[in-house]
Coordinates of all heavy atoms in Angstrom, one line a residue:
M1 N 2.4 152.1 292.6 CA 2.6 153.5 292.3 C 3.4 153.6 291.1 O 4.7 153.8 291.1 CB 3.3 154.1 293.5 CG 2.9 155.5 293.8 SD 3.8 156.3 295.1 CE 3.4 155.3 296.5
N2 N 2.8 153.6 289.9 CA 3.5 153.7 288.7 C 3.7 155.1 288.2 O 3.0 156.0 288.6 CB 2.8 152.9 287.6 CG 2.9 151.5 287.7 OD1 3.8 151.0 288.4 ND2 2.0 150.7 287.1
F3 N 4.8 155.3 287.5 CA 5.2 156.6 286.9 C 4.8 156.6 285.5 O 5.0 155.6 284.8 CB 6.7 156.9 287.1 CG 7.1 157.2 288.5 CD1 7.4 156.2 289.4 CD2 7.3 158.5 288.9 CE1 7.8 156.4 290.7 CE2 7.7 158.7 290.2 CZ 7.9 157.7 291.1
V4 N 4.4 157.8 285.0 CA 4.2 157.9 283.6 C 5.6 158.2 282.9 O 6.3 159.0 283.5 CB 3.2 159.2 283.3 CG1 3.2 159.4 281.8 CG2 1.9 159.0 283.9
L5 N 5.9 157.5 281.9 CA 7.2 157.7 281.2 C 7.0 158.6 280.0 O 6.3 158.3 279.1 CB 7.8 156.4 280.8 CG 8.2 155.3 281.8 CD1 8.7 154.1 281.2 CD2 9.1 155.9 282.8
L6 N 7.7 159.7 280.0 CA 7.7 160.7 279.0 C 9.0 160.6 278.2 O 10.1 160.8 278.8 CB 7.5 162.1 279.5 CG 6.3 162.3 280.5 CD1 6.3 163.7 281.1 CD2 5.0 162.1 279.7
R7 N 9.0 160.4 277.0 CA 10.2 160.3 276.2 C 10.5 161.6 275.4 O 9.7 162.0 274.6 CB 10.0 159.1 275.2 CG 9.9 157.8 275.8 CD 9.3 156.8 274.9 NE 9.3 155.4 275.5 CZ 8.3 155.0 276.4 NH1 7.3 155.8 276.7 NH2 8.4 153.8 276.8
S8 N 11.7 162.1 275.7 CA 12.1 163.3 275.0 C 12.5 162.9 273.6 O 12.9 161.8 273.3 CB 13.3 164.0 275.7 OG 14.5 163.2 275.6
S9 N 12.6 163.9 272.7 CA 13.0 163.6 271.3 C 14.5 163.1 271.3 O 14.8 162.2 270.5 CB 12.9 164.9 270.4 OG 13.6 165.9 270.9
A10 N 15.3 163.6 272.1 CA 16.7 163.1 272.2 C 16.8 161.7 272.6 O 17.5 160.9 272.1 CB 17.5 164.0 273.2
F11 N 15.9 161.3 273.6 CA 15.9 159.9 274.1 C 15.4 159.0 273.0 O 16.0 158.0 272.7 CB 14.9 159.8 275.3 CG 14.8 158.3 275.7 CD1 15.7 157.8 276.6 CD2 13.7 157.6 275.3 CE1 15.6 156.5 277.0 CE2 13.6 156.3 275.7 CZ 14.6 155.7 276.5
I12 N 14.4 159.4 272.3 CA 13.9 158.6 271.1 C 14.9 158.4 270.1 O 15.2 157.3 269.6 CB 12.6 159.2 270.6 CG1 11.5 159.1 271.6 CG2 12.1 158.5 269.3 CD1 10.2 159.9 271.3
R13 N 15.6 159.5 269.7 CA 16.6 159.5 268.7 C 17.8 158.5 269.1 O 18.2 157.7 268.4 CB 17.1 160.9 268.4 CG 18.1 161.0 267.3 CD 18.5 162.5 267.0 NE 18.8 163.3 268.2 CZ 18.0 164.2 268.8 NH1 16.8 164.5 268.2 NH2 18.4 164.9 269.8
N14 N 18.2 158.6 270.4 CA 19.3 157.8 270.9 C 18.9 156.3 270.9 O 19.7 155.4 270.6 CB 19.8 158.3 272.3 CG 20.4 159.6 272.3 OD1 20.9 160.0 271.2 ND2 20.4 160.3 273.4
A15 N 17.7 156.1 271.3 CA 17.1 154.7 271.5 C 17.1 154.0 270.1 O 17.6 152.9 269.9 CB 15.8 154.7 272.1
K16 N 16.6 154.8 269.1 CA 16.5 154.2 267.8 C 17.9 153.9 267.2 O 18.2 152.9 266.6 CB 15.9 155.2 266.8 CG 14.4 155.3 267.0 CD 13.8 156.3 266.0 CE 12.2 156.3 266.2 NZ 11.7 157.3 265.2
K17 N 18.8 154.8 267.5 CA 20.2 154.6 267.0 C 20.9 153.3 267.7 O 21.5 152.5 267.0 CB 21.1 155.8 267.3 CG 22.5 155.8 266.8 CD 23.2 157.1 267.0 CE 23.6 157.3 268.4 NZ 24.5 158.4 268.7
I18 N 20.6 153.2 268.9 CA 21.2 152.0 269.7 C 20.6 150.7 269.2 O 21.3 149.8 268.9 CB 21.1 152.2 271.2 CG1 22.0 153.4 271.7 CG2 21.3 151.0 271.9 CD1 21.6 153.9 273.1
I19 N 19.3 150.7 269.1 CA 18.6 149.5 268.6 C 19.0 149.2 267.2 O 19.0 148.0 266.9 CB 17.1 149.7 268.9 CG1 16.8 149.7 270.3 CG2 16.3 148.5 268.2 CD1 15.4 150.1 270.7
K20 N 19.2 150.1 266.4 CA 19.6 149.9 265.0 C 20.9 149.2 264.9 O 21.1 148.2 264.2 CB 19.5 151.2 264.2 CG 19.9 150.9 262.7 CD 19.8 152.2 261.9 CE 20.0 152.0 260.5 NZ 19.9 153.2 259.7
K21 N 21.9 149.7 265.8 CA 23.2 149.1 265.8 C 23.3 147.7 266.5 O 24.0 146.8 266.2 CB 24.2 150.0 266.6 CG 24.6 151.2 265.8 CD 25.6 152.0 266.7 CE 26.1 153.2 266.0 NZ 27.0 154.0 266.8
Q22 N 22.4 147.6 267.6 CA 22.5 146.4 268.4 C 21.0 146.0 268.7 O 20.5 146.2 269.8 CB 23.2 146.6 269.7 CG 24.7 146.9 269.5 CD 25.3 147.3 270.8 OE1 25.1 148.3 271.4 NE2 26.3 146.4 271.2
P23 N 20.3 145.4 267.8 CA 18.9 145.0 268.0 C 18.7 144.0 269.2 O 17.6 144.0 269.7 CB 18.5 144.3 266.7 CG 19.6 144.3 265.8 CD 20.8 145.0 266.5
E24 N 19.7 143.3 269.6 CA 19.5 142.4 270.7 C 19.3 143.1 272.0 O 18.9 142.5 273.0 CB 20.8 141.5 270.8 CG 22.1 142.1 271.2 CD 22.9 142.8 270.1 OE1 22.3 142.8 268.9 OE2 24.0 143.2 270.3
L25 N 19.6 144.5 272.1 CA 19.4 145.2 273.3 C 18.0 145.7 273.5 O 17.6 146.2 274.5 CB 20.3 146.4 273.3 CG 21.8 146.2 273.4 CD1 22.6 147.5 273.4 CD2 22.1 145.4 274.7
A26 N 17.1 145.5 272.5 CA 15.7 146.1 272.5 C 14.9 145.5 273.7 O 14.2 146.3 274.4 CB 15.0 145.8 271.2
A27 N 15.0 144.2 273.8 CA 14.2 143.6 274.9 C 14.7 144.1 276.3 O 13.9 144.3 277.2 CB 14.3 142.1 274.8
N28 N 16.1 144.2 276.4 CA 16.6 144.7 277.7 C 16.2 146.1 278.0 O 15.9 146.4 279.1 CB 18.1 144.5 277.6 CG 18.8 144.7 279.0 OD1 18.2 144.3 280.0 ND2 20.0 145.2 279.0
I29 N 16.2 146.9 277.0 CA 15.8 148.4 277.2 C 14.3 148.4 277.6 O 14.0 149.1 278.5 CB 16.1 149.2 275.9 CG1 17.6 149.3 275.6 CG2 15.4 150.5 275.9 CD1 17.9 149.8 274.3
Q30 N 13.5 147.6 276.9 CA 12.1 147.6 277.3 C 11.9 147.1 278.7 O 11.1 147.7 279.4 CB 11.3 146.7 276.3 CG 9.8 146.6 276.5 CD 9.1 148.0 276.3 OE1 9.5 148.8 275.5 NE2 8.2 148.3 277.2
E31 N 12.6 146.1 279.1 CA 12.5 145.6 280.5 C 12.9 146.6 281.5 O 12.2 146.8 282.5 CB 13.3 144.3 280.6 CG 13.2 143.6 281.9 CD 14.1 142.4 281.9 OE1 14.0 141.5 281.0 OE2 15.0 142.3 282.8
T32 N 14.0 147.3 281.1 CA 14.5 148.4 282.0 C 13.4 149.5 282.2 O 13.2 150.0 283.3 CB 15.8 149.0 281.5 OG1 16.8 147.9 281.5 CG2 16.3 150.1 282.4
L33 N 12.8 149.9 281.0 CA 11.8 151.0 281.1 C 10.6 150.6 281.9 O 10.0 151.4 282.6 CB 11.4 151.4 279.7 CG 12.5 152.1 278.9 CD1 12.0 152.3 277.4 CD2 13.0 153.4 279.5
E34 N 10.1 149.3 281.8 CA 9.0 148.9 282.6 C 9.4 148.9 284.1 O 8.6 149.3 284.9 CB 8.7 147.4 282.1 CG 8.0 147.4 280.8 CD 7.8 146.0 280.3 OE1 8.0 145.0 281.0 OE2 7.4 145.8 279.1
L35 N 10.6 148.5 284.4 CA 11.0 148.5 285.8 C 11.1 149.9 286.3 O 10.7 150.3 287.4 CB 12.3 147.7 286.0 CG 12.8 147.5 287.4 CD1 11.8 146.9 288.3 CD2 14.1 146.7 287.4
L36 N 11.7 150.8 285.5 CA 11.8 152.2 285.8 C 10.4 152.9 286.1 O 10.3 153.6 287.1 CB 12.5 153.0 284.7 CG 13.0 154.4 285.0 CD1 13.9 154.5 286.1 CD2 13.6 155.0 283.7
G37 N 9.4 152.5 285.3 CA 8.1 153.1 285.5 C 7.4 152.6 286.8 O 6.7 153.3 287.4
S38 N 7.8 151.4 287.2 CA 7.2 150.8 288.4 C 7.9 151.1 289.7 O 7.4 151.3 290.7 CB 6.9 149.3 288.3 OG 8.1 148.6 288.1
D39 N 9.3 151.0 289.6 CA 10.1 151.3 290.8 C 11.5 151.8 290.3 O 12.4 151.1 290.1 CB 10.3 150.0 291.5 CG 11.2 150.2 292.8 OD1 11.5 151.3 293.1 OD2 11.5 149.2 293.5
P40 N 11.6 153.2 290.2 CA 12.9 153.8 289.7 C 14.1 153.5 290.6 O 15.2 153.7 290.1 CB 12.5 155.3 289.6 CG 11.2 155.4 290.3 CD 10.6 154.2 290.5
F41 N 13.9 153.1 291.8 CA 15.0 152.9 292.7 C 15.2 151.4 293.0 O 15.9 151.0 294.0 CB 14.9 153.7 294.0 CG 15.0 155.1 293.7 CD1 13.8 155.9 293.6 CD2 16.2 155.8 293.5 CE1 13.9 157.3 293.4 CE2 16.3 157.1 293.3 CZ 15.2 157.9 293.2
D42 N 14.7 150.5 292.1 CA 15.0 149.1 292.2 C 16.5 148.8 292.2 O 17.2 149.5 291.3 CB 14.3 148.3 291.0 CG 14.4 146.8 291.2 OD1 15.5 146.3 290.8 OD2 13.5 146.2 291.7
S43 N 17.0 148.0 293.0 CA 18.5 147.9 293.1 C 19.1 147.4 291.8 O 20.3 147.7 291.6 CB 18.8 146.9 294.2 OG 18.2 145.6 294.0
S44 N 18.4 146.6 291.0 CA 19.0 146.2 289.7 C 19.2 147.3 288.7 O 20.1 147.2 287.8 CB 18.1 145.1 289.1 OG 16.9 145.6 288.7
L45 N 18.6 148.5 288.9 CA 18.8 149.6 288.0 C 20.0 150.4 288.4 O 20.5 151.2 287.6 CB 17.5 150.5 288.0 CG 16.3 149.9 287.5 CD1 15.1 150.9 287.6 CD2 16.4 149.6 286.0
R46 N 20.4 150.3 289.6 CA 21.6 151.0 290.1 C 21.4 152.5 289.8 O 22.3 153.3 289.4 CB 22.9 150.6 289.5 CG 23.2 149.1 289.8 CD 24.5 148.6 289.5 NE 25.1 149.1 288.2 CZ 25.2 148.4 287.2 NH1 24.8 147.1 287.1 NH2 25.8 148.8 286.1
T47 N 20.2 153.0 290.2 CA 19.8 154.4 290.0 C 20.6 155.3 291.0 O 20.8 155.0 292.1 CB 18.3 154.6 290.3 OG1 17.6 153.8 289.5 CG2 17.9 156.1 290.1
H48 N 21.2 156.4 290.4 CA 21.9 157.4 291.2 C 21.7 158.8 290.8 O 21.5 159.0 289.6 CB 23.4 157.0 291.3 CG 24.0 156.9 289.9 ND1 23.8 155.9 289.1 CD2 24.8 157.8 289.3 CE1 24.5 156.1 287.9 NE2 25.1 157.3 288.0
K49 N 21.8 159.7 291.7 CA 21.7 161.1 291.3 C 23.0 161.6 290.7 O 24.1 161.2 291.1 CB 21.4 161.9 292.7 CG 21.2 163.4 292.5 CD 19.8 163.8 292.9 CE 19.6 165.2 292.9 NZ 19.3 165.8 291.6
L50 N 22.8 162.5 289.7 CA 24.0 163.0 289.0 C 24.4 164.4 289.6 O 23.7 165.0 290.3 CB 23.7 163.1 287.5 CG 23.3 161.8 286.8 CD1 22.9 162.1 285.4 CD2 24.5 160.8 287.0
K51 N 25.6 164.8 289.2 CA 26.2 166.1 289.7 C 26.6 166.9 288.5 O 26.4 166.5 287.4 CB 27.4 165.8 290.5 CG 27.2 165.0 291.8 CD 28.5 164.7 292.5 CE 28.2 163.8 293.7 NZ 29.4 163.5 294.4
G52 N 27.0 168.1 288.8 CA 27.5 169.0 287.7 C 26.3 169.5 286.8 O 25.3 169.9 287.4
D53 N 26.6 169.5 285.5 CA 25.5 170.1 284.6 C 24.2 169.3 284.7 O 23.2 169.8 284.3 CB 26.1 170.0 283.2 CG 27.2 171.1 283.0 OD1 27.3 172.0 283.8 OD2 28.0 170.9 282.0
L54 N 24.3 168.0 285.1 CA 23.1 167.1 285.1 C 22.6 167.0 286.6 O 21.9 166.0 286.9 CB 23.5 165.8 284.6 CG 23.9 165.8 283.1 CD1 24.4 164.4 282.7 CD2 22.8 166.1 282.2
K55 N 22.9 168.0 287.4 CA 22.5 167.9 288.8 C 21.1 167.6 289.2 O 20.7 167.2 290.2 CB 23.1 169.1 289.6 CG 22.4 170.4 289.3 CD 22.9 171.5 290.1 CE 22.5 172.7 289.6 NZ 21.7 173.6 289.9
D56 N 20.2 167.9 288.3 CA 18.7 167.7 288.5 C 18.3 166.4 288.0 O 17.1 166.1 288.1 CB 17.9 168.8 287.9 CG 18.2 170.2 288.5 OD1 18.5 170.2 289.7 OD2 18.1 171.2 287.8
S57 N 19.2 165.6 287.5 CA 18.8 164.4 286.8 C 19.3 163.1 287.6 O 20.2 163.3 288.4 CB 19.4 164.3 285.4 OG 18.8 165.4 284.6
Y58 N 18.9 162.0 287.2 CA 19.3 160.7 287.7 C 19.8 159.8 286.5 O 19.4 160.1 285.3 CB 18.1 160.0 288.4 CG 17.7 160.6 289.7 CD1 16.9 161.8 289.7 CD2 18.1 160.1 290.9 CE1 16.5 162.4 290.9 CE2 17.7 160.7 292.1 CZ 16.9 161.8 292.0 OH 16.5 162.4 293.2
A59 N 20.5 158.8 286.8 CA 20.9 157.8 285.8 C 20.6 156.4 286.3 O 20.7 156.2 287.5 CB 22.4 158.0 285.5
C60 N 20.3 155.5 285.4 CA 20.1 154.1 285.7 C 20.8 153.3 284.7 O 21.0 153.7 283.5 CB 18.6 153.8 285.9 SG 17.7 153.6 284.5
S61 N 21.1 152.1 285.1 CA 21.7 151.1 284.1 C 20.7 150.3 283.3 O 19.7 149.9 283.9 CB 22.6 150.2 284.9 OG 23.2 149.2 284.1
A62 N 21.0 150.3 282.0 CA 20.1 149.4 281.2 C 20.9 148.3 280.5 O 20.5 147.8 279.5 CB 19.4 150.4 280.1
G63 N 22.0 148.0 281.1 CA 22.9 147.0 280.6 C 24.3 147.2 281.0 O 24.5 148.2 281.8
Y64 N 25.2 146.5 280.6 CA 26.6 146.6 281.0 C 27.1 148.0 280.9 O 27.6 148.6 281.8 CB 27.5 145.7 280.2 CG 28.9 145.9 280.4 CD1 29.5 145.5 281.6 CD2 29.7 146.4 279.5 CE1 30.8 145.8 281.9 CE2 31.1 146.7 279.7 CZ 31.6 146.3 280.9 OH 32.9 146.6 281.2
D65 N 27.1 148.6 279.7 CA 27.6 150.0 279.5 C 26.5 150.9 278.9 O 26.8 151.9 278.3 CB 28.8 150.0 278.6 CG 29.6 151.3 278.6 OD1 29.6 151.9 279.7 OD2 30.1 151.7 277.5
L66 N 25.3 150.7 279.2 CA 24.1 151.4 278.7 C 23.5 152.2 279.8 O 23.1 151.6 280.8 CB 23.2 150.5 278.0 CG 22.1 151.2 277.1 CD1 22.8 152.1 276.0 CD2 21.3 150.1 276.4
R67 N 23.3 153.5 279.7 CA 22.7 154.3 280.8 C 21.5 155.1 280.2 O 21.5 155.5 279.1 CB 23.7 155.3 281.3 CG 25.0 154.7 281.9 CD 24.8 154.0 283.1 NE 26.0 153.5 283.7 CZ 26.6 152.3 283.4 NH1 26.0 151.5 282.5 NH2 27.7 151.9 283.9
I68 N 20.5 155.3 281.1 CA 19.4 156.1 280.8 C 19.4 157.3 281.8 O 19.5 157.1 283.0 CB 18.1 155.3 280.9 CG1 18.0 154.2 279.9 CG2 16.9 156.3 280.8 CD1 16.8 153.3 280.0
I69 N 19.4 158.5 281.2 CA 19.3 159.7 282.0 C 17.9 160.2 282.1 O 17.2 160.3 281.1 CB 20.2 160.8 281.4 CG1 21.6 160.3 281.1 CG2 20.2 162.1 282.2 CD1 22.4 159.9 282.3
F70 N 17.4 160.5 283.3 CA 16.0 160.9 283.5 C 15.9 161.8 284.6 O 16.8 162.0 285.4 CB 15.1 159.7 283.7 CG 15.4 158.9 285.0 CD1 14.7 159.2 286.1 CD2 16.4 157.9 285.0 CE1 14.9 158.5 287.3 CE2 16.6 157.2 286.2 CZ 15.9 157.5 287.3
K71 N 14.7 162.5 284.7 CA 14.4 163.3 285.9 C 12.9 163.1 286.2 O 12.1 162.8 285.4 CB 14.7 164.8 285.7 CG 14.0 165.5 284.7 CD 14.2 167.0 284.7 CE 15.7 167.3 284.3 NZ 15.9 168.7 284.0
F72 N 12.6 163.4 287.5 CA 11.3 163.3 288.0 C 10.5 164.5 287.7 O 11.0 165.7 288.0 CB 11.2 163.0 289.5 CG 11.8 161.6 289.8 CD1 13.1 161.5 290.2 CD2 11.0 160.5 289.7 CE1 13.6 160.2 290.5 CE2 11.6 159.2 290.0 CZ 12.8 159.1 290.4
V73 N 9.4 164.5 287.1 CA 8.5 165.7 286.8 C 7.1 165.4 287.1 O 6.8 164.2 287.5 CB 8.7 166.0 285.3 CG1 10.1 166.4 284.9 CG2 8.2 164.9 284.4
E74 N 6.3 166.4 287.0 CA 4.8 166.2 287.2 C 4.2 166.5 285.8 O 4.6 167.4 285.1 CB 4.3 167.2 288.2 CG 2.9 166.8 288.6 CD 2.4 167.6 289.8 OE1 3.2 167.6 290.8 OE2 1.4 168.2 289.7
Y75 N 3.3 165.5 285.4 CA 2.7 165.6 284.1 C 1.2 165.4 284.3 O 0.8 164.3 284.8 CB 3.3 164.6 283.2 CG 2.6 164.5 281.8 CD1 2.8 165.5 280.9 CD2 1.8 163.4 281.5 CE1 2.2 165.4 279.7 CE2 1.2 163.4 280.3 CZ 1.4 164.4 279.3 OH 0.8 164.3 278.1
E76 N 0.4 166.4 284.0 CA -1.1 166.3 284.2 C -1.5 165.8 285.6 O -2.2 164.9 285.7 CB -1.7 165.4 283.1 CG -1.5 166.0 281.7 CD -2.1 165.1 280.6 OE1 -2.6 164.1 280.9 OE2 -2.0 165.6 279.4
E77 N -0.8 166.4 286.5 CA -1.1 166.1 287.9 C -0.7 164.7 288.4 O -1.2 164.2 289.4 CB -2.5 166.5 288.4 CG -2.8 168.0 288.2 CD -4.2 168.3 288.7 OE1 -4.8 167.6 289.4 OE2 -4.6 169.4 288.2
E78 N 0.1 164.0 287.6 CA 0.6 162.7 287.9 C 2.1 162.7 288.0 O 2.8 163.5 287.4 CB 0.2 161.7 286.9 CG -1.3 161.4 286.8 CD -1.6 160.2 285.9 OE1 -0.9 159.2 286.0 OE2 -2.5 160.4 285.1
R79 N 2.6 161.8 288.8 CA 4.1 161.7 288.9 C 4.6 161.1 287.6 O 4.0 160.1 287.1 CB 4.5 160.8 290.1 CG 4.1 161.5 291.4 CD 4.5 160.7 292.6 NE 4.7 159.3 292.4 CZ 5.4 158.6 293.3 NH1 5.9 159.1 294.3 NH2 5.5 157.3 293.1
A80 N 5.6 161.6 287.1 CA 6.2 161.2 285.8 C 7.7 161.2 285.8 O 8.3 161.8 286.6 CB 5.6 162.1 284.7
I81 N 8.2 160.5 284.8 CA 9.7 160.4 284.6 C 9.9 160.9 283.2 O 9.4 160.3 282.2 CB 10.2 159.0 284.8 CG1 10.1 158.6 286.3 CG2 11.7 158.9 284.3 CD1 10.5 157.2 286.6
L82 N 10.7 161.9 283.1 CA 11.1 162.4 281.7 C 12.4 161.7 281.4 O 13.5 161.9 282.0 CB 11.3 163.9 281.8 CG 11.8 164.6 280.5 CD1 10.9 164.3 279.3 CD2 12.1 166.0 280.7
L83 N 12.3 160.9 280.3 CA 13.6 160.2 279.8 C 14.3 161.2 278.9 O 13.8 161.6 277.9 CB 13.1 158.9 279.0 CG 12.3 158.0 279.9 CD1 11.7 156.9 279.0 CD2 13.1 157.3 280.9
E84 N 15.4 161.6 279.4 CA 16.2 162.7 278.7 C 17.2 162.1 277.6 O 17.3 162.7 276.6 CB 17.0 163.5 279.7 CG 16.1 164.2 280.7 CD 16.9 165.0 281.7 OE1 17.6 164.3 282.6 OE2 16.9 166.2 281.6
S85 N 17.9 161.1 277.9 CA 18.9 160.6 277.0 C 19.2 159.1 277.3 O 18.9 158.6 278.4 CB 20.2 161.5 277.2 OG 21.2 161.1 276.3
M86 N 19.9 158.5 276.4 CA 20.4 157.1 276.6 C 21.6 156.9 275.7 O 21.7 157.4 274.6 CB 19.2 156.1 276.1 CG 19.7 154.7 276.3 SD 18.4 153.5 276.2 CE 17.8 153.8 274.6
G87 N 22.5 156.2 276.3 CA 23.7 155.8 275.5 C 24.7 155.2 276.4 O 24.5 154.9 277.6
T88 N 25.9 155.0 275.9 CA 27.0 154.4 276.8 C 27.4 155.5 277.8 O 27.0 156.6 277.8 CB 28.2 154.1 275.9 OG1 28.8 155.3 275.4 CG2 27.9 153.1 274.8
H89 N 28.1 155.0 278.8 CA 28.6 155.8 279.9 C 29.3 157.1 279.4 O 29.0 158.2 279.8 CB 29.5 155.1 280.8 CG 30.0 155.8 282.0 ND1 31.0 156.7 282.0 CD2 29.5 155.8 283.3 CE1 31.2 157.2 283.2 NE2 30.3 156.7 284.0
D90 N 30.2 157.0 278.4 CA 30.9 158.1 277.9 C 30.0 159.0 277.1 O 30.3 160.2 277.0 CB 32.1 157.6 277.0 CG 33.2 156.9 277.9 OD1 33.2 157.2 279.1 OD2 33.9 156.2 277.3
E91 N 29.0 158.5 276.4 CA 28.1 159.3 275.6 C 27.2 160.2 276.4 O 26.9 161.4 275.9 CB 27.2 158.5 274.6 CG 28.0 157.8 273.6 CD 27.2 156.7 272.8 OE1 26.1 156.3 273.3 OE2 27.6 156.3 271.8
V92 N 26.7 159.7 277.5 CA 25.7 160.5 278.2 C 26.3 161.4 279.3 O 25.6 162.3 279.8 CB 24.6 159.6 278.9 CG1 23.9 158.9 277.8 CG2 25.2 158.6 279.8
Y93 N 27.5 161.2 279.8 CA 28.1 162.0 280.9 C 29.0 163.1 280.3 O 29.6 163.1 279.4 CB 28.8 161.2 281.9 CG 27.9 160.2 282.7 CD1 28.2 158.9 282.6 CD2 26.8 160.7 283.4 CE1 27.3 158.0 283.3 CE2 26.0 159.8 284.0 CZ 26.3 158.5 284.0 OH 25.5 157.6 284.7

């Protein structure tokens, strides 16, 4: 049961910035996105629901201090994940 991954412009911008600063993270980010698309609640992602302004969103870990913010949506009658943002813990919360 795979999810379609939809990348917001903010997510793409943040990902490019992170990979430019730390190219060694590119493979880890790709691996995390593949796992997120197949099983968003895999224990290695440490997925959790957010509160406050981000109450409709979830976060998962893409490395030691790297988080991906996303929400579940429907896209063309399929289940999808909208990737909203990515960055360090302090940048995204």
